[in-house]
Amino acid sequence: MKPRSSRAIKIAILPGDGIGPDVINATIPVLDAIQNVVKGLKLEYVFGEAGLNCIPKYGTNLPEKTIECLKSVDCCLKGPLTTPEEPGSPRSAAVKIRTMFDLYVNLRPLKSRPNVHSLKPDINMVIVRENTEGLYSGIEFMSGKDSAIAIRLITRKCCERIARFAFDLSMKRKKHVTYVHKGNILKITDELFKDSVLKVAKEFPEVRVDELRVDAAAMSLIKRPESFDVIVTTNLFGDILSDEGAQLVGGLGVAPGANIGEKYAMFEPIHGSAPKYTGLDKANPIATILSTKLMFEWLGFKKAADKVERAVETVLREGRVLTFDISLPNVKFAKCSETGKEIARQILQS
Ligand code: NAD
């Protein structure tokens, strides 16, 4: 997307459930700071409601007025939402937003950072997860009293467009794509996925292409994580592998995410609402703050994106103001809000 410096960029902010309000509140000073130091960048925040907290009030986890708000803005920054699990309960609001706005890319960068425990020092990969179909298609039913079926919907259109995004991205990185599937068992759906990826690969002759079955990929992420550049895979495999991948580089507290479509995008940490830390001002806001780096890249404000990442890395390197999950030995851990303010302070000094 091109920079739009002539007017304020409207961002819908959905704090969400559990630790969502804490990590979002810690991110606001970072957004405020970045506008102070990047010329031509003006942001307008439009707060909205979504998640389990909405159900008693609106009878739904994604109220109509939130949908209208999302439609009226340039992009969305979202905290995690708690998903009700009982049969018959509403579908995940995050999944509803992804499908409603056709945000077909779920982008999950995983990178070793200073002072954060990482399985290897040089991990730098991106998981590109298909975000609109697969086992998330929401087609599930009882097929008998004691049997149930979930449909794994796979289409050539969605496979080709996610593959094209992954190959395009790899051209700006190390030109290496690994596609992950379970074609030995899912002989029809994953054959279609494989065939689509290989068709797109022909458009990118400079890119090295590898394939892995998902079980081998789960193992290889631990064994040789530094060898991956871009991983492209279907929805559920990408979800699982990216939580595993987050653990390789310091945990869910530092793993950002983006949901990207043709004209719209939603940015969110990959973690969930971690209900046990609700209201404690304890969770790590860095995953959410790094998600704003992805947001600024998508908006075309590369300078703002770089400043956010540099400020995060400075705070990590200094090691004085880190939350419990990544705090250094013998250093008192910081609150979520303190970490956000410290990153904002670094931005203002930059
Ligand atoms: P979770 O990601 O919320 O938490 C798992 C554990 O990871 C936590 O108990 C905590 O120890 C750690 N953790 C997560 N985020 C952290 C942070 N910022 N700082 C420090 N530690 C952190 O996973 P869960 O407990 O399986 O899910 C809770 C709820 O969140 C569920 O209802 C789930 O459906 C939902 N969820 C929502 C999204 C989303 O909105 N996109 C994504 C994943 C899960």
Side-chain angles (χ1 to χ4, degrees):
M1 179 166 278
K2 294 272 173 296
R4 318 165 191 216
S5 48
S6 54
R7 65 169 175 87
I9 292 160
K10 274 190 173 180
I11 305 172
I13 299 185
L14 309 181
D17 296 308
I19 59 172
D22 281 353
V23 294
I24 290 288
N25 284 338
T27 302
I28 302 292
V30 173
L31 296 179
D32 291 342
I34 208 83
Q35 295 178 77
N36 269 300
V37 295
V38 175
K39 210 168 150 240
L41 177 60
K42 279 177 279 169
L43 305 173
E44 181 184 333
Y45 316 140
V46 188
F47 286 87
E49 297 171 282
L52 194 66
N53 68 83
C54 290
I55 295 182
K57 200 164 153 196
Y58 300 102
T60 168
N61 53 3
L62 190 61
E64 199 53 46
K65 67 176 185 179
T66 303
I67 298 171
E68 288 312 310
C69 160
L70 291 172
K71 287 180 182 163
S72 72
V73 297
D74 294 294
C75 62
C76 169
L77 175 66
K78 185 183 87 49
L81 312 176
T82 302
T83 319
E85 287 189 18
E86 320 74 63
S89 57
R91 201 175 177 208
S92 148
V95 173
K96 280 195 240 178
I97 297 171
R98 290 169 188 161
T99 40
M100 191 177 288
F101 290 88
D102 199 21
L103 306 179
Y104 67 94
V105 181
N106 195 322
L107 192 69
R108 297 185 158 187
L110 302 164
K111 196 172 169 190
S112 311
R113 308 257 179 205
N115 263 339
V116 182
H117 177 73
S118 190
L119 202 60
K120 297 271 177 81
D122 48 357
I123 299 171
N124 186 357
M125 74 177 98
V126 183
I127 297 185
V128 176
R129 159 189 171 196
E130 203 291 322
N131 214 17
T132 56
E133 55 177 22
L135 271 171
Y136 281 65
S137 59
I139 313 167
E140 222 189 0
F141 53 91
M142 295 299 295
S143 54
K145 191 170 143 297
D146 294 317
S147 58
I149 293 177
I151 303 276
R152 183 174 192 259
L153 176 70
I154 298 287
T155 63
R156 185 174 291 283
K157 175 188 154 200
C158 290
C159 294
E160 286 190 9
R161 67 181 180 172
I162 197 68
R164 194 161 285 110
F165 185 95
F167 278 88
D168 267 333
L169 178 65
S170 81
M171 291 298 288
K172 296 176 213 139
R173 296 176 51 97
K174 292 187 214 140
K175 300 191 173 104
H176 177 202
V177 171
T178 306
Y179 64 102
V180 172
H181 59 82
K182 188 70 182 171
N184 54 332
I185 301 299
L186 301 166
K187 290 177 197 281
I188 297 178
T189 47
D190 264 356
E191 186 56 35
L192 183 55
F193 172 71
K194 285 162 61 180
D195 190 58
S196 308
V197 172
L198 291 176
K199 183 175 164 220
V200 173
K202 289 193 184 122
E203 298 166 24
F204 298 85
E206 294 156 75
V207 176
R208 178 156 68 93
V209 184
D210 284 330
E211 71 173 311
L212 277 176
R213 285 193 287 279
V214 64
D215 40 350
M219 181 195 67
S220 301
L221 277 178
I222 308 247
K223 200 170 166 193
R224 49 176 183 89
E226 72 287 0
S227 70
F228 292 97
D229 179 25
V230 174
I231 291 178
V232 62
T233 189
T234 49
N235 207 337
L236 184 63
F237 296 162
D239 188 24
I240 296 169
L241 291 181
S242 51
D243 265 35
E244 181 192 348
Q247 211 51 47
L248 302 175
V249 293
L252 290 171
V254 292
N259 302 266
I260 299 174
E262 291 300 336
K263 294 199 174 109
Y264 195 75
M266 173 173 78
F267 301 87
E268 59 177 345
I270 78 171
H271 63 71
S273 57
K276 65 185 176 192
Y277 299 134
T278 304
L280 299 183
D281 195 15
K282 181 172 181 177
N284 192 341
I286 288 182
T288 309
I289 292 170
L290 284 173
S291 302
T292 71
K293 179 226 167 192
L294 302 176
M295 179 179 83
F296 288 123
E297 271 172 0
W298 181 79
L299 286 165
F301 283 93
K302 169 101 178 48
K303 201 167 158 193
D306 290 346
K307 278 184 186 289
V308 170
E309 184 163 42
R310 260 202 309 275
V312 167
E313 297 223 328
T314 305
V315 170
L316 291 172
R317 200 171 294 109
E318 290 184 351
R320 290 179 295 105
V321 193
L322 302 178
T323 48
F324 75 99
D325 53 323
I326 56 167
S327 63
L328 302 179
N330 306 320
V331 180
K332 185 172 169 278
F333 58 74
K335 291 180 178 171
C336 176
S337 53
E338 290 167 340
T339 301
K341 280 186 199 142
E342 180 60 15
I343 294 169
R345 197 178 68 81
Q346 290 294 340
I347 290 173
L348 291 172
Q349 279 186 355
S350 64

PDB file of all heavy atoms in Angstrom, residues 247-270:
ATOM      1  N   GLN A 247       7.542 -20.320  20.017  1.00  0.00           N
ATOM      2  CA  GLN A 247       8.293 -20.837  21.159  1.00  0.00           C
ATOM      3  C   GLN A 247       9.794 -20.920  20.860  1.00  0.00           C
ATOM      4  O   GLN A 247      10.624 -20.826  21.756  1.00  0.00           O
ATOM      5  CB  GLN A 247       7.716 -22.203  21.553  1.00  0.00           C
ATOM      6  CG  GLN A 247       7.826 -22.517  23.025  1.00  0.00           C
ATOM      7  CD  GLN A 247       7.283 -21.400  23.916  1.00  0.00           C
ATOM      8  OE1 GLN A 247       6.199 -20.868  23.697  1.00  0.00           O
ATOM      9  NE2 GLN A 247       8.064 -20.998  24.915  1.00  0.00           N
ATOM     10  N   LEU A 248      10.126 -21.066  19.580  1.00  0.00           N
ATOM     11  CA  LEU A 248      11.550 -21.134  19.204  1.00  0.00           C
ATOM     12  C   LEU A 248      12.261 -19.810  19.454  1.00  0.00           C
ATOM     13  O   LEU A 248      13.464 -19.766  19.614  1.00  0.00           O
ATOM     14  CB  LEU A 248      11.709 -21.461  17.709  1.00  0.00           C
ATOM     15  CG  LEU A 248      11.083 -22.741  17.176  1.00  0.00           C
ATOM     16  CD1 LEU A 248      11.249 -22.807  15.663  1.00  0.00           C
ATOM     17  CD2 LEU A 248      11.726 -23.945  17.831  1.00  0.00           C
ATOM     18  N   VAL A 249      11.493 -18.720  19.418  1.00  0.00           N
ATOM     19  CA  VAL A 249      12.126 -17.386  19.483  1.00  0.00           C
ATOM     20  C   VAL A 249      11.690 -16.581  20.709  1.00  0.00           C
ATOM     21  O   VAL A 249      11.738 -15.356  20.692  1.00  0.00           O
ATOM     22  CB  VAL A 249      11.869 -16.578  18.181  1.00  0.00           C
ATOM     23  CG1 VAL A 249      12.570 -17.210  16.994  1.00  0.00           C
ATOM     24  CG2 VAL A 249      10.377 -16.416  17.907  1.00  0.00           C
ATOM     25  N   GLY A 250      11.272 -17.260  21.765  1.00  0.00           N
ATOM     26  CA  GLY A 250      10.993 -16.527  23.008  1.00  0.00           C
ATOM     27  C   GLY A 250       9.568 -16.606  23.495  1.00  0.00           C
ATOM     28  O   GLY A 250       9.257 -16.075  24.555  1.00  0.00           O
ATOM     29  N   GLY A 251       8.679 -17.209  22.729  1.00  0.00           N
ATOM     30  CA  GLY A 251       7.314 -17.415  23.217  1.00  0.00           C
ATOM     31  C   GLY A 251       6.291 -16.513  22.553  1.00  0.00           C
ATOM     32  O   GLY A 251       6.613 -15.618  21.772  1.00  0.00           O
ATOM     33  N   LEU A 252       5.027 -16.755  22.933  1.00  0.00           N
ATOM     34  CA  LEU A 252       3.919 -16.042  22.295  1.00  0.00           C
ATOM     35  C   LEU A 252       3.958 -14.537  22.579  1.00  0.00           C
ATOM     36  O   LEU A 252       3.437 -13.736  21.809  1.00  0.00           O
ATOM     37  CB  LEU A 252       2.590 -16.620  22.781  1.00  0.00           C
ATOM     38  CG  LEU A 252       2.264 -18.033  22.274  1.00  0.00           C
ATOM     39  CD1 LEU A 252       1.037 -18.589  22.985  1.00  0.00           C
ATOM     40  CD2 LEU A 252       2.025 -18.016  20.766  1.00  0.00           C
ATOM     41  N   GLY A 253       4.592 -14.157  23.663  1.00  0.00           N
ATOM     42  CA  GLY A 253       4.640 -12.737  24.037  1.00  0.00           C
ATOM     43  C   GLY A 253       5.410 -11.863  23.069  1.00  0.00           C
ATOM     44  O   GLY A 253       5.316 -10.636  23.128  1.00  0.00           O
ATOM     45  N   VAL A 254       6.187 -12.475  22.184  1.00  0.00           N
ATOM     46  CA  VAL A 254       6.985 -11.661  21.241  1.00  0.00           C
ATOM     47  C   VAL A 254       6.664 -11.977  19.777  1.00  0.00           C
ATOM     48  O   VAL A 254       7.418 -11.579  18.888  1.00  0.00           O
ATOM     49  CB  VAL A 254       8.509 -11.831  21.485  1.00  0.00           C
ATOM     50  CG1 VAL A 254       8.920 -11.228  22.811  1.00  0.00           C
ATOM     51  CG2 VAL A 254       8.935 -13.302  21.413  1.00  0.00           C
ATOM     52  N   ALA A 255       5.556 -12.682  19.530  1.00  0.00           N
ATOM     53  CA  ALA A 255       5.266 -13.134  18.159  1.00  0.00           C
ATOM     54  C   ALA A 255       4.109 -12.340  17.536  1.00  0.00           C
ATOM     55  O   ALA A 255       2.950 -12.510  17.913  1.00  0.00           O
ATOM     56  CB  ALA A 255       4.945 -14.632  18.169  1.00  0.00           C
ATOM     57  N   PRO A 256       4.427 -11.459  16.578  1.00  0.00           N
ATOM     58  CA  PRO A 256       3.386 -10.627  15.966  1.00  0.00           C
ATOM     59  C   PRO A 256       2.681 -11.332  14.808  1.00  0.00           C
ATOM     60  O   PRO A 256       3.157 -12.357  14.314  1.00  0.00           O
ATOM     61  CB  PRO A 256       4.187  -9.446  15.418  1.00  0.00           C
ATOM     62  CG  PRO A 256       5.506 -10.046  15.042  1.00  0.00           C
ATOM     63  CD  PRO A 256       5.760 -11.169  16.016  1.00  0.00           C
ATOM     64  N   GLY A 257       1.580 -10.744  14.364  1.00  0.00           N
ATOM     65  CA  GLY A 257       0.874 -11.329  13.225  1.00  0.00           C
ATOM     66  C   GLY A 257       0.126 -10.270  12.427  1.00  0.00           C
ATOM     67  O   GLY A 257      -0.175  -9.172  12.911  1.00  0.00           O
ATOM     68  N   ALA A 258      -0.162 -10.624  11.166  1.00  0.00           N
ATOM     69  CA  ALA A 258      -0.949  -9.746  10.295  1.00  0.00           C
ATOM     70  C   ALA A 258      -1.893 -10.612   9.470  1.00  0.00           C
ATOM     71  O   ALA A 258      -1.533 -11.712   9.071  1.00  0.00           O
ATOM     72  CB  ALA A 258      -0.029  -8.966   9.364  1.00  0.00           C
ATOM     73  N   ASN A 259      -3.099 -10.099   9.258  1.00  0.00           N
ATOM     74  CA  ASN A 259      -4.078 -10.737   8.378  1.00  0.00           C
ATOM     75  C   ASN A 259      -4.291  -9.776   7.215  1.00  0.00           C
ATOM     76  O   ASN A 259      -4.774  -8.657   7.414  1.00  0.00           O
ATOM     77  CB  ASN A 259      -5.406 -10.937   9.102  1.00  0.00           C
ATOM     78  CG  ASN A 259      -5.255 -11.762  10.358  1.00  0.00           C
ATOM     79  OD1 ASN A 259      -5.428 -12.968  10.348  1.00  0.00           O
ATOM     80  ND2 ASN A 259      -4.915 -11.113  11.472  1.00  0.00           N
ATOM     81  N   ILE A 260      -3.923 -10.217   6.021  1.00  0.00           N
ATOM     82  CA  ILE A 260      -3.863  -9.269   4.913  1.00  0.00           C
ATOM     83  C   ILE A 260      -4.737  -9.720   3.751  1.00  0.00           C
ATOM     84  O   ILE A 260      -4.703 -10.899   3.359  1.00  0.00           O
ATOM     85  CB  ILE A 260      -2.384  -9.116   4.450  1.00  0.00           C
ATOM     86  CG1 ILE A 260      -1.535  -8.573   5.606  1.00  0.00           C
ATOM     87  CG2 ILE A 260      -2.267  -8.216   3.223  1.00  0.00           C
ATOM     88  CD1 ILE A 260      -0.056  -8.516   5.317  1.00  0.00           C
ATOM     89  N   GLY A 261      -5.507  -8.776   3.216  1.00  0.00           N
ATOM     90  CA  GLY A 261      -6.290  -9.051   2.012  1.00  0.00           C
ATOM     91  C   GLY A 261      -5.848  -8.131   0.893  1.00  0.00           C
ATOM     92  O   GLY A 261      -4.786  -7.512   0.963  1.00  0.00           O
ATOM     93  N   GLU A 262      -6.672  -8.021  -0.143  1.00  0.00           N
ATOM     94  CA  GLU A 262      -6.289  -7.174  -1.274  1.00  0.00           C
ATOM     95  C   GLU A 262      -6.241  -5.704  -0.883  1.00  0.00           C
ATOM     96  O   GLU A 262      -5.368  -4.967  -1.295  1.00  0.00           O
ATOM     97  CB  GLU A 262      -7.266  -7.357  -2.443  1.00  0.00           C
ATOM     98  CG  GLU A 262      -7.205  -8.718  -3.139  1.00  0.00           C
ATOM     99  CD  GLU A 262      -5.828  -9.035  -3.735  1.00  0.00           C
ATOM    100  OE1 GLU A 262      -5.077  -8.092  -4.027  1.00  0.00           O
ATOM    101  OE2 GLU A 262      -5.512 -10.239  -3.873  1.00  0.00           O
ATOM    102  N   LYS A 263      -7.241  -5.267  -0.077  1.00  0.00           N
ATOM    103  CA  LYS A 263      -7.332  -3.828   0.219  1.00  0.00           C
ATOM    104  C   LYS A 263      -7.456  -3.517   1.697  1.00  0.00           C
ATOM    105  O   LYS A 263      -7.644  -2.361   2.073  1.00  0.00           O
ATOM    106  CB  LYS A 263      -8.568  -3.256  -0.490  1.00  0.00           C
ATOM    107  CG  LYS A 263      -8.458  -3.288  -1.999  1.00  0.00           C
ATOM    108  CD  LYS A 263      -9.437  -2.326  -2.622  1.00  0.00           C
ATOM    109  CE  LYS A 263      -9.235  -2.259  -4.110  1.00  0.00           C
ATOM    110  NZ  LYS A 263     -10.289  -2.875  -4.880  1.00  0.00           N
ATOM    111  N   TYR A 264      -7.429  -4.514   2.510  1.00  0.00           N
ATOM    112  CA  TYR A 264      -7.710  -4.301   3.932  1.00  0.00           C
ATOM    113  C   TYR A 264      -6.837  -5.240   4.733  1.00  0.00           C
ATOM    114  O   TYR A 264      -6.412  -6.292   4.223  1.00  0.00           O
ATOM    115  CB  TYR A 264      -9.196  -4.605   4.195  1.00  0.00           C
ATOM    116  CG  TYR A 264      -9.719  -4.099   5.511  1.00  0.00           C
ATOM    117  CD1 TYR A 264      -9.990  -2.752   5.716  1.00  0.00           C
ATOM    118  CD2 TYR A 264      -9.958  -4.988   6.569  1.00  0.00           C
ATOM    119  CE1 TYR A 264     -10.472  -2.295   6.932  1.00  0.00           C
ATOM    120  CE2 TYR A 264     -10.448  -4.530   7.789  1.00  0.00           C
ATOM    121  CZ  TYR A 264     -10.713  -3.179   7.956  1.00  0.00           C
ATOM    122  OH  TYR A 264     -11.199  -2.728   9.161  1.00  0.00           O
ATOM    123  N   ALA A 265      -6.567  -4.867   5.976  1.00  0.00           N
ATOM    124  CA  ALA A 265      -5.734  -5.755   6.789  1.00  0.00           C
ATOM    125  C   ALA A 265      -6.057  -5.566   8.264  1.00  0.00           C
ATOM    126  O   ALA A 265      -6.529  -4.506   8.690  1.00  0.00           O
ATOM    127  CB  ALA A 265      -4.254  -5.472   6.528  1.00  0.00           C
ATOM    128  N   MET A 266      -5.810  -6.610   9.000  1.00  0.00           N
ATOM    129  CA  MET A 266      -6.014  -6.572  10.459  1.00  0.00           C
ATOM    130  C   MET A 266      -4.735  -7.101  11.113  1.00  0.00           C
ATOM    131  O   MET A 266      -4.216  -8.127  10.703  1.00  0.00           O
ATOM    132  CB  MET A 266      -7.191  -7.462  10.833  1.00  0.00           C
ATOM    133  CG  MET A 266      -7.390  -7.632  12.318  1.00  0.00           C
ATOM    134  SD  MET A 266      -8.907  -8.515  12.665  1.00  0.00           S
ATOM    135  CE  MET A 266      -8.431 -10.199  12.320  1.00  0.00           C
ATOM    136  N   PHE A 267      -4.268  -6.369  12.114  1.00  0.00           N
ATOM    137  CA  PHE A 267      -2.996  -6.720  12.749  1.00  0.00           C
ATOM    138  C   PHE A 267      -3.278  -7.149  14.176  1.00  0.00           C
ATOM    139  O   PHE A 267      -4.066  -6.516  14.877  1.00  0.00           O
ATOM    140  CB  PHE A 267      -2.051  -5.507  12.668  1.00  0.00           C
ATOM    141  CG  PHE A 267      -1.816  -5.121  11.229  1.00  0.00           C
ATOM    142  CD1 PHE A 267      -2.698  -4.253  10.581  1.00  0.00           C
ATOM    143  CD2 PHE A 267      -0.799  -5.693  10.496  1.00  0.00           C
ATOM    144  CE1 PHE A 267      -2.547  -3.949   9.232  1.00  0.00           C
ATOM    145  CE2 PHE A 267      -0.636  -5.399   9.153  1.00  0.00           C
ATOM    146  CZ  PHE A 267      -1.510  -4.533   8.515  1.00  0.00           C
ATOM    147  N   GLU A 268      -2.631  -8.229  14.594  1.00  0.00           N
ATOM    148  CA  GLU A 268      -2.899  -8.776  15.933  1.00  0.00           C
ATOM    149  C   GLU A 268      -1.735  -9.664  16.350  1.00  0.00           C
ATOM    150  O   GLU A 268      -1.049 -10.243  15.503  1.00  0.00           O
ATOM    151  CB  GLU A 268      -4.193  -9.615  15.907  1.00  0.00           C
ATOM    152  CG  GLU A 268      -4.126 -10.769  14.920  1.00  0.00           C
ATOM    153  CD  GLU A 268      -5.354 -11.676  14.914  1.00  0.00           C
ATOM    154  OE1 GLU A 268      -6.168 -11.613  15.839  1.00  0.00           O
ATOM    155  OE2 GLU A 268      -5.475 -12.473  13.965  1.00  0.00           O
ATOM    156  N   PRO A 269      -1.506  -9.760  17.668  1.00  0.00           N
ATOM    157  CA  PRO A 269      -0.503 -10.735  18.110  1.00  0.00           C
ATOM    158  C   PRO A 269      -1.020 -12.131  17.800  1.00  0.00           C
ATOM    159  O   PRO A 269      -2.232 -12.313  17.671  1.00  0.00           O
ATOM    160  CB  PRO A 269      -0.454 -10.501  19.627  1.00  0.00           C
ATOM    161  CG  PRO A 269      -1.811  -9.962  19.979  1.00  0.00           C
ATOM    162  CD  PRO A 269      -2.231  -9.137  18.784  1.00  0.00           C
ATOM    163  N   ILE A 270      -0.127 -13.115  17.711  1.00  0.00           N
ATOM    164  CA  ILE A 270      -0.660 -14.454  17.403  1.00  0.00           C
ATOM    165  C   ILE A 270      -1.219 -15.135  18.655  1.00  0.00           C
ATOM    166  O   ILE A 270      -1.951 -16.101  18.548  1.00  0.00           O
ATOM    167  CB  ILE A 270       0.375 -15.360  16.675  1.00  0.00           C
ATOM    168  CG1 ILE A 270       1.420 -15.962  17.601  1.00  0.00           C
ATOM    169  CG2 ILE A 270       1.035 -14.631  15.526  1.00  0.00           C
ATOM    170  CD1 ILE A 270       2.287 -17.008  16.879  1.00  0.00           C
TER     171      ILE A 270
END
